[in-house]
Structure formats: structure tokens, C-alpha cells
Amino acid sequence: MDSITIHTSTNQYQVHIGQKIRHKVPVFLSKHYPSILIITDSVVADLYLEDVKRSFSSEQQIFTAIVPAGEASKNKDCFFDLITKCIDSSLDRHSLIIALGGGVVGDLAGFVAASYMRGIDYVQIPTTLLAHDSSVGGKVAINHPQGKNLIGSFYPPQAVVYDVETLYTLPEQEIRSGYAEIIKHGLISDEVYFEDIIQNGSINKLSNSILMDHLLKGIAVKAEIVEKDEKESGQRQYLNLGHTLGHAIEAELGYGAITHGEAVAIGLLFAMKVSETVYSEDFPYQRLKNWMKKNNYPLTVTGLDEQALIGRMKKDKKSKNQKVQMVLLKSIGKPCVHEVDDRLLMELLHKFLRELVNH
Amino acid sequence: MDSITIHTSTNQYQVHIGQKIRHKVPVFLSKHYPSILIITDSVVADLYLEDVKRSFSSEQQIFTAIVPAGEASKNKDCFFDLITKCIDSSLDRHSLIIALGGGVVGDLAGFVAASYMRGIDYVQIPTTLLAHDSSVGGKVAINHPQGKNLIGSFYPPQAVVYDVETLYTLPEQEIRSGYAEIIKHGLISDEVYFEDIIQNGSINKLSNSILMDHLLKGIAVKAEIVEKDEKESGQRQYLNLGHTLGHAIEAELGYGAITHGEAVAIGLLFAMKVSETVYSEDFPYQRLKNWMKKNNYPLTVTGLDEQALIGRMKKDKKSKNQKVQMVLLKSIGKPCVHEVDDRLLMELLHKFLRELVNH
């Protein structure tokens, strides 16, 4: 088992990564909680809910709430129903919420924990690759019909308990989704790490040790950045590489049409294209695209309206005075935030989307 | 003009108190905000919205949102509509929200600011006496049908701009409501301050200087406590004196039937009664009650179900393992938190409510 400590402005917490650790959750908690609400989704519940429940002692009251699997659950009604569940379960400020699942459950349950009684403790037990990213850093949120994560908070968990065994039951789409963020962590941090990922070929055939290595490096990249900039005023924005267009695509297609990571993958390719133009630098665009194709990323998404996408990009949380601020790369490992002129953005986006479909 | 500085764990801000300062809001802001959304209610809008709007320069984009006056606006739909208003106004993380109004507007607009894009700046411009309390300390929230302020956050404002001139247009009920919190600040801090308030008689006939003095002292009491305990784990709970029953009464009668402060006033009397029993101490119960009667506090509220009230009290944020934790007084100026046994609570509440109606 490995552990990484994350320091925040208000506390510190540990990310534990290991095999079968979902069976011993209390070991990783610094307090005894009389009441615990486990929030999970309909898919994960069948696989791991009993394991996590059984890890607690019989004198602890364990409540469960199961939301439908998928991004659509990050909505206001689901959020409000979960608050009602907290009240009905008589949770108080000494209770714990456990987010058992992927990024959707983590974001949703985390925002419930952040808002219920102005904040109670919560623990993340991620069960997807993608959640190696979202479970670290304390960003929690729900979606608004007009944009992703527009309603939320910075609210760090008490601990992250990451049982890699749960990753082997993931469908291929989820692995793709998670690897987009791993690729992103490579792109913003280190060319060697990035090359190591894309040279490994098919993500479905990775050995346990290579997967653990990619994950640990990804978490370390994320941890280093969020420690330096918890509230996203500077460096933390780099973690949004690929997300400005990615979020816009997700919203335009309707949440759930493709996964978050699949949308981010397209966003990463676009960020490379824009970076090439802005900084006159060469990037391994075609090699990355080939890797994505080999791993069946849905790159030829049709029916996207360019104006509508740009409108969405302007509603991004990084935007300033209604100008799109994109994270770009000066080179691999050297991210920066750049204000992209509307006209240039339109031109590059038009060309990019056409090329995606055609090649 | 007077200013009090409040230090929080993450920043510090100033509470400015003076005459006519609503006309010069930008003076109190440390940044220039290109976009500003003023959230206010239907009553305050007619009185002061134009003054505040006009205090900004013409190159700043000013948006306004007007919610119905009254506690009922602290609901989830109103909250989500305001988030939508933020999106429609293209507010970003460099924008400002202004909460112009009483505690309802402050709590609601504050939670919108806390949650929109995971938090943007906001400023409180309180226009009620009660808001001398709620605008200091960073507690923001909306209500759940099952309880007050159950969904919220600790999120300090950038500044509080308190124009006492706005207090002279308050209806009598609002003045009563605010004075309940002033009485509370007296009870938890200092017998001299408390006596000074109740010996001054009718709160409608106070001079400007006495009112300013009471307000400044109240804010200073609140500021001292919230600085020591921002997140309400210890001392800050003392500020809930009178609120455990007060909130329960508000919820049972339906929000808005009587004002928050009027409900707290009844709660203060009850807290004194319980304190008398638990600590075998004498308190000026009858004198406080007489002062309240003279000032037309609605003390003879009928139709309250004792079991239902206790059920509500158990859902209070201070409650622990489903036991009611009440703030009591060992003596005036010496508050403490005490777990009150269900049976004793029932007995005292039954007797208290009967006496309230009969005397």
C-alpha cells in the first residue's frame, strides 16, 4: 500500500492506494463516527457496497443512499434529495458521509457533505480510474443545465481510500475516461511520464504494476499542484488542460452522451492544436491522436455547433470579462493560461472539428 | 463612522457602520469589480437599490435580482434561480455579489456567492437590525422544509457596509426581531450591556446614539466569538442561545408566521427557564418577559405541539447522537452548552408553554 499526504489551507489528509483496502475503511479514519451515510450509485452498489458496510463495527449506524449511475445524477434534485436523506437519517455534525464510486458520486456526495449543516466530514472511496483525479483536491460540485460544476465548493475530504482492485471491474469506456486525465497529468508535468503512457499502447492490457505506477504519478502531480494553489487562482488552473472544450462538448451533447474523460481527450487534442498556433511549437499531436484511436476514444463526434461550443467555453469558470481563457502548453510539462481571441478560436475550432471527422 | 475588523481563518474583512454609507459602497471595496450582481428583496429594492447602484461607476456592469421579501425566499428554488441569474449575467470569478437587505437576503445571496463557481466575492449591505448579527461571521444558508439553515456554508464576505440610516425605515416588527439578537448578545457577554438594553424601555423610542451603541456592542460580541471559533465547534455555539427552541418554533409555525427574532425571544425566555432548573440560579426572567411584552413581542403563540417541537430541536445542528444540546446560562455573561435529557426537556417545555399563554 502507498500513501500520499495532501496539505490544504485548513487541514491535511491522506490518499491511501492499495489492494483490497475497501475491506478495512475504519483503519484510515482518525475519528470514530457513530452515524455514517454511504452514498453510491446503482452500478457500484452491487459490486462494493456490502464490502464497505461490513468494514464497520456493528455499533455504528450505517445508512445508504443509491443514486442512478451517470453524470445526470449531479443535478439539483438529486442533491436536495440526498440532503433530505441526511436529515431523515438524523445525521449531525459528528456524522460521516462516504462517497463510494466514481467522480460523479464523489462530486455529488462531497457537495452534500460540504453543504449539510454547513459542512460535515466525508471520505472518498473512488472506484474508477477517473476518480484518481477528482477525489484529490477537494473540488466538489453539481451541474447546472447551462454548465458543468457551476454550483459547488472547495471542501477537502478527511481521507481518500483508493482500492485499485475495484478498477479491474471497470468497463472499457471508464478506463478510457480515466486515462484521459492520466494523459493530462503527463502533459502538464513531464514528457517522460507522458511518453511512458502513450508508448504503453492499449490501456486494457496494462499490468498491475504499470497501472499503479501511472496512477501514483498522476495523483502526485495533482497533489503537488493543489497544495500550491488550493482555490484555483493560479497553477491549479493548469489541471483544466483540455477541459474548456471538454466541458463544452459534454454540455452540448447532453451529459452522459460520452464520458467526461472522452470529452477531455478531444479537448486535449484541441489544446495541442491551439498551443501549436500560439507558441509555434511542435507537439506529438498525431501520435496522441493515434493512441486515442487505438484505445477507441470517440473522436469523430458529429453535430456539434461551433458557435454554441464557444458560447459554452465563455461560461467556463476560468473565463474573464467574457474572453475564453484556455490552458495551453508552451511545451510538454510547461502549461500556461492564455486568453484566446474569439476570431482565432472560431477559426481553429472550425478547422479542428473538420479534421477530427475526416482523419 | 466606525469600523471593526474581523479575522477569519482564510482572510479578514471590515464591518463599517455609519450614516449614509450606502451611497459610497466602492470606497469599502479593495478591488475593482467589472460585473456586480445586487441581490435584494421586494421591499428593500424600492427603498435603497437605486442608492447602491448609483454609488458605482458607469463602466461597471450592474445586474439586479429581486426576491420576494420574507423567510420563504430562503428555499432551494430561489437559490437555483439566483445561480441561473449569475450565469445569465455572465458573472465570473472576478465578479461581485452584493447582498442588500436583511438576514434572509444575506443568507441567501451569501450561499449563492459561496456556491457559484465554487465561490465568488460578496459584500453584505444589511438594512435591518437583525442583520447586525447575521452579516458578521460568514454563516450563509438556505432552509430545508424540515429545518432552518440546514443547507449552507461558512463563507465570509469581503466587507460589511452597515448604513444605520436604513434602520429608521424599519417596521416595528423588524426592530423587535433585531433586538432579540441584541438581547442575546447582552445575555452571553455582559450583565451591564444586558441591563442597559432592557432598562431603556421601548425600542421604538431609542435615540440614535443609544441604538448605535447597542449595535456596536452587539457586533463586537459576535466578532470576538467568531474570530475564536469560526466553524462553530466550541464557543460559537453560544451564539445559538435561544435558537434551539426558536428555530423549532419558526419551522412549526411555518417560516414567516412570526419573525426569526420574535421566535428567538421566546427561545431566550425558555433557555433562562431551563438554566434556572439545571444550575439552580436566579435569572431576571420576569423582567425580560415584561420588557418583551412592553415591546409587543408575540409571546402567546398557540397551537404548538410539544412533541413536534422536541423532534425539531433534535434536528438542530448542535444535536449529538439525537440528544438535544441547548445553550444555557450559568449566569448572565457565562454561557455553556448542555445536553438536556428528553424527559426533563418535555416537562420544562410543557410548563413553559402553558405559562407563556396564561401570564
Side-chain angles (χ1 to χ4, degrees), chain A residues 121-137:
Chain A
D121 285 357
Y122 79 112
V123 163
Q124 299 264 20
I125 306 187
T127 59
T128 65
L129 258 181
L130 190 59
H132 90 277
D133 179 47
S134 58
S135 65
V136 176

Side-chain angles (χ1 to χ4, degrees), chain B residues 32-140:
Chain B
H32 175 83
Y33 296 93
S35 307
I36 298 166
L37 171 64
I38 305 174
I39 299 176
T40 188
D41 73 28
S42 45
V43 172
V44 176
D46 288 344
L47 297 167
Y48 308 116
L49 179 55
E50 280 309 311
D51 296 344
V52 173
K53 273 175 84 171
R54 267 199 303 265
S55 78
F56 290 95
S57 77
S58 59
E59 86 254 23
Q60 288 169 291
Q61 271 201 291
I62 312 288
F63 303 93
T64 56
I66 300 174
V67 301
E71 186 77 23
S73 285
K74 275 175 67 177
N75 71 65
K76 70 167 175 176
D77 294 327
C78 203
F79 168 74
F80 280 99
D81 288 349
L82 287 170
I83 294 280
T84 305
K85 175 75 185 181
C86 293
I87 299 169
D88 292 344
S89 309
S90 299
L91 296 199
D92 61 28
R93 285 188 172 162
H94 310 275
S95 305
L96 177 72
I97 286 178
I98 290 179
L100 171 65
V104 167
V105 165
D107 282 4
L108 174 63
F111 190 48
V112 170
S115 310
Y116 180 60
M117 293 191 170
R118 297 198 184 89
I120 68 171
D121 286 356
Y122 79 111
V123 163
Q124 299 264 19
I125 307 187
T127 59
T128 66
L129 257 181
L130 189 59
H132 90 278
D133 178 48
S134 58
S135 65
V136 176
K139 282 168 78 171
V140 295

Side-chain angles (χ1 to χ4, degrees), chain B residues 97-295:
Chain B
I97 286 178
I98 290 179
L100 171 65
V104 167
V105 165
D107 282 4
L108 174 63
F111 190 48
V112 170
S115 310
Y116 180 60
M117 293 191 170
R118 297 198 184 89
I120 68 171
D121 286 356
Y122 79 111
V123 163
Q124 299 264 19
I125 307 187
T127 59
T128 66
L129 257 181
L130 189 59
H132 90 278
D133 178 48
S134 58
S135 65
V136 176
K139 282 168 78 171
V140 295
I142 58 173
N143 298 328
H144 186 280
Q146 291 188 50
K148 255 181 86 94
N149 297 329
L150 284 179
I151 309 169
S153 180
F154 291 97
Y155 194 73
Q158 296 300 305
V160 180
V161 180
Y162 204 168
D163 186 343
V164 288
E165 203 176 72
T166 64
L167 303 178
Y168 295 107
T169 48
L170 287 177
E172 198 187 325
Q173 198 187 33
E174 287 298 324
I175 296 178
R176 269 202 299 278
S177 190
Y179 253 85
E181 299 285 356
I182 293 181
I183 285 277
K184 181 198 78 180
H185 287 138
L187 283 171
I188 62 176
S189 68
D190 178 1
E191 190 158 7
V192 177
Y193 175 28
F194 170 72
E195 287 293 338
D196 186 43
I197 302 162
I198 66 166
Q199 283 173 14
N200 258 297
S202 173
I203 49 182
N204 286 311
K205 294 179 188 142
L206 298 180
S207 71
N208 193 2
S209 66
I210 290 178
L211 177 63
M212 281 280 284
D213 179 57
H214 288 174
L215 271 178
L216 274 168
K217 279 182 183 152
I219 291 171
V221 170
K222 172 101 186 219
E224 195 187 331
I225 289 180
V226 300
E227 280 186 6
K228 285 189 193 141
D229 175 26
E230 194 180 352
K231 297 287 171 70
E232 203 165 21
S233 48
Q235 277 195 41
R236 185 160 180 169
Q237 297 187 29
Y238 301 158
L239 294 168
N240 280 304
L241 183 73
H243 284 63
T244 314
L245 180 60
H247 281 162
I249 290 174
E250 274 187 281
E252 273 300 291
L253 292 178
Y255 296 121
I258 63 174
T259 65
H260 173 68
E262 287 169 342
V264 167
I266 298 172
L268 291 174
L269 287 173
F270 182 58
M272 259 194 190
K273 273 286 176 209
V274 180
S275 300
E276 270 182 6
T277 303
V278 171
Y279 298 112
S280 309
E281 273 289 334
D282 287 326
F283 288 93
Y285 175 85
Q286 203 53 53
R287 283 172 52 231
L288 177 58
K289 191 171 165 186
N290 290 343
W291 178 89
M292 286 178 181
K293 275 188 184 167
K294 187 162 61 185
N295 284 298

Side-chain angles (χ1 to χ4, degrees), chain A residues 3-16 28 30 122-124 132-139 155-161 219 222-223 226-227 230 236:
Chain A
S3 297
I4 296 174
T5 302
I6 319 264
H7 300 269
T8 75
S9 61
T10 49
N11 72 346
Q12 63 172 56
Y13 61 94
Q14 288 196 298
V15 183
H16 307 280
F28 307 108
S30 57
Y122 79 112
V123 163
Q124 299 264 20
H132 90 277
D133 179 47
S134 58
S135 65
V136 176
K139 281 168 80 171
Y155 194 71
Q158 296 299 304
V160 180
V161 180
I219 291 171
K222 173 101 186 218
V226 299
E227 279 186 6
E230 195 179 354
R236 185 160 182 170

